[in-house]
Amino acid sequence: MTSFANVVSGALKVTASTPDGREQIVGLLFPGDFVGQMFTDEASLTVTALTETAMCSFPRAAFERELGAQPRMERMLLERTMASLDEARERMLSLGRRNAQERVAGFILQVADRSGTPRSDGGIDVSIPMSRGEVADLLGLTIETVSRQLTRLKAAGLITFAKGERDCIVCDPEGLERIANPV
């Protein structure tokens, strides 16, 4: 760990590897997110760009010196770290307690929240930065199940695809929220 970075634009996936070489997507990074693991000499995770990405990179030693001199910056980093921990806990809950439709709806809402663009009609433009196979990996589902659930959400009028399978419009954010987080 010789440097850190901040995501300026784009999307990245964070993966962990097992000793036998298998990988698991354990998180996503969007603009404003911090890349790197503080207080460790070796990185235990791999970060890979999913889309064209711009990052602001800085040397570790200089960053750690500046962090010590800037309590506000240190607090902001701590707040983002805690938000990342909350996201990981939410993902664990999702994998353990949500059905496939709830997982897919929750994923779309997460991407919409982190990188979506509000529309004048109340919808949200969302560019899904991953293939359906990667979404399936992240959500602990099969690619066929992800495709079926996207089709069901589309048939219900909650989402539509503008072009291809990655440019999505969330037509009914509240309806999608009701599915992702049923009462």
Side-chain angles (χ1 to χ4, degrees), residues 82-111:
M82 295 309 296
S84 179
L85 180 59
D86 287 344
E87 289 169 9
R89 289 175 175 154
E90 176 66 25
R91 194 167 18 272
M92 285 190 308
L93 175 65
S94 176
L95 291 173
R97 297 289 180 223
R98 287 184 172 162
N99 66 35
Q101 189 174 49
E102 293 165 352
R103 291 182 202 182
V104 172
F107 167 75
I108 293 171
L109 285 173
Q110 176 194 12
V111 176

Side-chain angles (χ1 to χ4, degrees), residues 4 37-41 60 64 67 74 77:
F4 299 119
Q37 293 174 261
M38 299 287 295
F39 314 114
T40 184
D41 291 329
R60 176 184 179 149
E64 288 177 347
L67 193 60
E74 187 175 42
L77 182 59

Side-chain angles (χ1 to χ4, degrees), residues 1 13-17 23-27 29 34-37 40 42-48 84 91:
M1 295 293 308
K13 68 178 176 180
V14 181
T15 57
S17 297
E23 286 188 346
Q24 174 66 47
I25 299 172
V26 296
L29 299 173
F34 184 79
V35 180
Q37 293 174 261
T40 184
E42 290 187 31
S44 62
L45 303 169
T46 301
V47 178
T48 307
S84 179
R91 194 167 18 272

Side-chain angles (χ1 to χ4, degrees), residues 20-159:
D20 65 359
R22 291 178 291 160
E23 286 188 346
Q24 174 66 47
I25 299 172
V26 296
L28 298 175
L29 299 173
F30 294 98
D33 285 338
F34 184 79
V35 180
Q37 293 174 261
M38 299 287 295
F39 314 114
T40 184
D41 291 329
E42 290 187 31
S44 62
L45 303 169
T46 301
V47 178
T48 307
L50 293 167
T51 64
E52 187 172 319
T53 301
M55 297 193 313
C56 178
S57 178
F58 23 87
R60 176 184 179 149
F63 180 76
E64 288 177 347
R65 272 194 312 276
E66 191 62 28
L67 193 60
Q70 299 289 333
R72 185 169 175 263
M73 187 168 74
E74 187 175 42
R75 180 176 174 88
M76 289 173 63
L77 182 59
L78 178 60
E79 287 172 355
R80 185 60 207 130
T81 300
M82 295 309 296
S84 179
L85 180 59
D86 287 344
E87 289 169 9
R89 289 175 175 154
E90 176 66 25
R91 194 167 18 272
M92 285 190 308
L93 175 65
S94 176
L95 291 173
R97 297 289 180 223
R98 287 184 172 162
N99 66 35
Q101 189 174 49
E102 293 165 352
R103 291 182 202 182
V104 172
F107 167 75
I108 293 171
L109 285 173
Q110 176 194 12
V111 176
D113 181 55
R114 297 298 312 281
S115 66
T117 305
R119 298 167 55 94
S120 61
D121 62 6
I124 306 169
D125 286 325
V126 179
S127 180
I128 298 173
M130 311 165 75
S131 70
R132 289 187 183 188
E134 290 170 317
V135 172
D137 181 35
L138 178 69
L139 299 179
L141 302 169
T142 65
I143 190 171
E144 295 83 7
T145 299
V146 169
S147 292
R148 272 194 306 276
Q149 295 308 320
L150 289 171
T151 299
R152 287 181 181 154
L153 294 172
K154 183 178 175 183
L158 300 171
I159 64 171

